[in-house]
Amino acid sequence: MFRPLSFCIGLRYTAAKRRNHFISFISLTSMIGLMLGVAVLIIVLSVMNGFDRELKQRILGMVPHAIIQSSGPLEDWEAVDAQVQQHPRVLAAAPFIQGQGMVTGGGEVRGVMLNGVLPEEERTVSIIEDHMIEGKLDDLVAGEFGIIVGRTMAASLRLQLGDKVTVVLPEATVTPAGVLPRLKRFTVKGIFSVGAELDGNYTLVHMDDAAKLMRTGGKAQGVRLLVDDLFAAPKVAEEAARGLSGRYYISDWTRTHGNLFQAIRMEKTMIGLLLMFIVAVAAFNIVSTLVMVVTDKTADIAILRTMGATPGRIMRIFIVQGAVIGIFGTLIGTALGILGAVNISAFISWLEGVLGHKFLSADVYFISYLPSQLQWQDVAIISGSGLALSLLATIYPAWRASRVDPAEALRYE
């Protein structure tokens, strides 16, 4: 008796068995549609967040956030290194030599990005040391012409530790025997795996060996920077280079991998918008459900009106009924979405093992597994949108119910 009359009658209408089973079926499908829409939207956005996270942590943990280089070999890279690290937003800096070439081994050939590094400096700006599966970064010793390759490349060329590979540069050398490509034999010193496209085309050698191969006079080509904020890398690199004497060129990750990052963000926005339409369709199915309920309960509404129920109270009765469908559908969908987002990576890995098929190949995609990162902000937005759409869908049917004329409704009863 202490509960509001509108709330009590609305709940009773929701739970009561109806003579028209089709109305009950429509109510159930509305709730299930809303539940599935919310759950799928949470899972899909969590997967997109996972791809976004992996892009930042894996690929951008390997490639430079920003680089500073001159038009030729860097005469005094130690001074440049020390000066750019004085910038408060530069966490670390390391010299490098970089070039493109081909690696041959096991009867196969692959195009590679050859990176000359100093092991003691490289570990401060790269995550490579945390992803070594064989060997270690310190195995790169000047003069030994060792090379570290990715797992995908090692599998493609059938390489193991200690195997020999030939590095060929796209530069010709004129010799008495004619024009010959520049090449050098290297020994595999390590294999890394970051689960990304870099596993197939990224190699590391000692900077002194790279300088001899590329004939840079023992000097670095530039300095790579690790900054505190990825999105501030262009500005930080420009500010750090501004204090250097001489003419330098700067570049950053947005020029090399920015298109991939932008594509993921755009896909997340578009997929979220499209799936939200599914939630909207499911929510507005409540409209048809309540319209049919109002038609079925016309006599009951008329009796309530003759007993003194106001149009506002009648309207609240059907708002409660529609809200119950929306709230239960949204809450159950949110719970299923959270459960699915947390376990989707493990489920896909299990499914790949059962089917014996790899859904995401590192040769095609930039990571080789399905990541997921649940963000509570997304959950709140999706759940709130589902509830808001559900409540909005109840307004018109509830208004129609409040406009029922008791005399007209009871004329033939």
Side-chain angles (χ1 to χ4, degrees):
M1 295 300 295
F2 295 100
R3 291 180 295 179
L5 181 62
S6 302
F7 185 76
C8 293
I9 297 176
L11 287 181
R12 183 172 181 179
Y13 276 0
T14 303
K17 294 183 179 180
R18 297 187 179 91
R19 291 167 294 179
N20 190 339
H21 296 289
F22 184 68
I23 298 178
S24 300
F25 175 74
I26 294 296
S27 301
L28 181 62
T29 55
S30 299
M31 183 180 296
I32 293 176
L34 187 60
M35 176 184 69
L36 292 179
V38 169
V40 170
L41 187 52
I42 291 175
I43 293 173
V44 170
L45 290 188
S46 297
V47 170
M48 299 303 295
N49 291 333
F51 276 104
D52 185 42
R53 177 197 63 197
E54 294 302 314
L55 172 65
K56 294 177 183 177
Q57 293 183 351
R58 290 179 175 266
I59 293 184
L60 298 182
M62 290 284 290
V63 303
H65 290 179
I67 61 174
I68 299 175
Q69 62 186 68
S70 61
S71 56
L74 206 58
E75 296 292 337
D76 188 9
W77 69 263
E78 293 92 345
V80 174
D81 185 286
Q83 190 166 347
V84 297
Q85 290 196 61
Q86 293 179 3
H87 192 286
R89 304 194 67 177
V90 175
L91 303 179
F96 72 92
I97 296 176
Q98 192 174 76
Q100 295 181 341
M102 296 185 298
V103 170
T104 65
E108 301 289 339
V109 180
R110 287 189 74 103
V112 298
M113 181 66 70
L114 198 66
N115 296 273
V117 301
L118 294 178
E120 62 276 10
E121 299 282 342
E122 184 68 11
R123 62 168 51 94
T124 65
V125 296
S126 172
I127 63 172
I128 180 68
E129 195 169 40
D130 299 328
H131 294 272
M132 297 293 297
I133 56 177
E134 292 188 60
K136 56 184 183 295
L137 193 60
D138 290 332
D139 290 338
L140 294 179
V141 179
E144 294 186 0
F145 290 93
I147 187 171
I148 294 177
V149 301
R151 181 170 61 178
T152 302
M153 182 183 299
S156 175
L157 302 181
R158 296 185 288 276
L159 299 177
Q160 296 180 351
L161 290 185
D163 288 351
K164 300 290 184 179
V165 296
T166 301
V167 176
V168 183
L169 297 185
E171 298 180 10
T173 302
V174 179
T175 68
V179 179
L180 299 175
R182 192 181 305 172
L183 50 86
K184 180 66 180 177
R185 295 280 282 177
F186 280 78
T187 304
V188 177
K189 294 285 188 172
I191 299 174
F192 69 87
S193 174
V194 294
E197 60 181 354
L198 298 177
D199 289 351
N201 57 22
Y202 196 84
T203 62
L204 293 98
V205 300
H206 197 280
M207 194 174 76
D208 292 346
D209 297 339
K212 294 177 183 177
L213 180 63
M214 300 180 190
R215 299 179 181 177
T216 63
K219 303 177 180 63
Q221 285 183 344
V223 173
R224 62 177 287 181
L225 309 180
L226 177 68
V227 301
D228 60 351
D229 182 5
L230 286 171
F231 300 102
K235 180 181 178 182
V236 172
E238 182 179 355
E239 292 175 351
R242 194 178 300 154
L244 300 174
S245 58
R247 188 173 182 179
Y248 293 91
Y249 302 93
I250 61 174
S251 182
D252 58 83
W253 67 271
T254 61
R255 300 184 183 181
T256 57
H257 292 81
N259 57 340
L260 181 60
F261 181 76
Q262 293 296 334
I264 289 178
R265 294 190 66 179
M266 183 183 69
E267 288 174 4
K268 177 183 175 182
T269 302
M270 295 306 298
I271 290 175
L273 182 61
L274 293 174
L275 290 178
M276 186 57 74
F277 283 127
I278 298 177
V279 176
V281 170
F284 279 97
N285 278 341
I286 298 174
V287 175
S288 59
T289 301
L290 292 184
V291 167
M292 293 169 54
V293 171
V294 169
T295 303
D296 187 58
K297 298 293 184 180
T298 300
D300 294 356
I301 296 171
I303 292 173
L304 288 172
R305 289 295 309 277
T306 59
M307 294 177 64
T310 63
R313 176 165 290 178
I314 297 298
M315 191 171 180
R316 288 193 293 272
I317 289 174
F318 290 94
I319 288 178
V320 168
Q321 186 176 356
V324 168
I325 297 174
I327 290 172
F328 273 91
T330 301
L331 292 181
I332 296 174
T334 299
L336 292 177
I338 293 173
L339 187 63
V342 171
N343 296 284
I344 186 67
S345 298
F347 173 75
I348 294 299
S349 298
W350 171 81
L351 191 61
E352 288 177 341
V354 171
L355 299 178
H357 174 70
K358 192 74 173 176
F359 294 125
L360 297 176
S361 173
D363 291 333
V364 180
Y365 304 97
F366 75 94
I367 59 173
S368 57
Y369 70 99
L370 189 70
S372 178
Q373 182 182 25
L374 182 67
Q375 293 186 359
W376 293 108
Q377 180 182 0
D378 290 341
V379 174
I381 292 174
I382 295 168
S383 302
S385 300
L387 290 173
L389 290 172
S390 300
L391 292 176
L392 185 63
T394 65
I395 293 177
Y396 172 71
W399 177 80
R400 276 195 58 180
S402 68
R403 305 297 293 177
V404 170
D405 183 7
E408 186 68 25
L410 297 175
R411 174 176 298 178
Y412 301 105
E413 292 293 332

